[in-house]
Amino acid sequence: MLAVVGEVALIVIAVVWVRLWLLARAASPRTLAAVAGVPVAAALAWPVGEAAKSVLRVDRPCRLLDGLPAWVECPPAGDWSFPSNHAAVAGALAVTVVVAVRHLRKPIVAILSMLAAGVAAASRVLAGAHFPHDVVVGLLLGGIVAVVSMQMTRRPMESAVAAARSKGRVSLLVGGARGATYER
């Protein structure tokens, strides 16, 4: 059950992102570029966390601590604990959603995404898959990956959105049509 809670929390953030995408299609290229950065950050957070795990090689609490309730199956030996990849992805999703929401002025969405990221991270600790510091560092790592990836992709994404809009291409994805004006 706890493993499902963590996955559902990540799905909640993904659904929030889809809603933001729909809203951002009527916004400026900068805003849509910020929203487009959400899946990029999430996709980068997992391999960055995995690389850190392979270097640090910290075993999981379900293998190290006696008497830990077996709420979920312990991952196999060699599947390291620190940092939590689930928390890294949740942190990346939440931070990029918060940045995107800033442009769209939807604070409740930011709060929902931050709470969902916290639930995803906490569920990994309660399931015995991670120590608390694994998920805290995972959330921070995901947030850093999010900020860096958004900075690196912002201008190219803005240009791509503006070009697609000016040519009337893929309007289902980027919104608008030639000559349309967008709110900031």
Side-chain angles (χ1 to χ4, degrees), residues 97-168:
V97 164
V98 167
V99 170
V101 164
R102 188 188 81 213
H103 293 282
L104 293 169
R105 294 178 181 86
K106 303 284 183 192
I108 194 71
V109 174
I111 293 167
L112 179 63
S113 68
M114 296 302 278
L115 287 173
V119 167
S123 74
R124 303 299 291 160
V125 173
L126 293 173
H130 291 285
F131 292 104
H133 65 274
D134 296 344
V135 297
V136 169
V137 171
L139 287 167
L140 292 171
L141 179 66
I144 291 167
V145 167
V147 169
V148 170
S149 70
M150 289 183 84
Q151 287 300 314
M152 291 175 52
T153 61
R154 185 177 58 88
R155 283 204 174 102
M157 283 189 182
E158 281 182 45
S159 297
V161 167
R165 283 178 173 174
S166 71
K167 295 176 182 168

Side-chain angles (χ1 to χ4, degrees), residues 47-74:
V48 169
E50 200 60 40
K53 280 183 178 196
S54 66
V55 170
L56 299 171
R57 307 180 117 211
V58 176
D59 214 351
R60 293 186 180 266
C62 51
R63 280 193 292 279
L64 295 175
L65 302 175
D66 291 332
L68 196 66
W71 289 323
V72 296
E73 187 175 327
C74 193

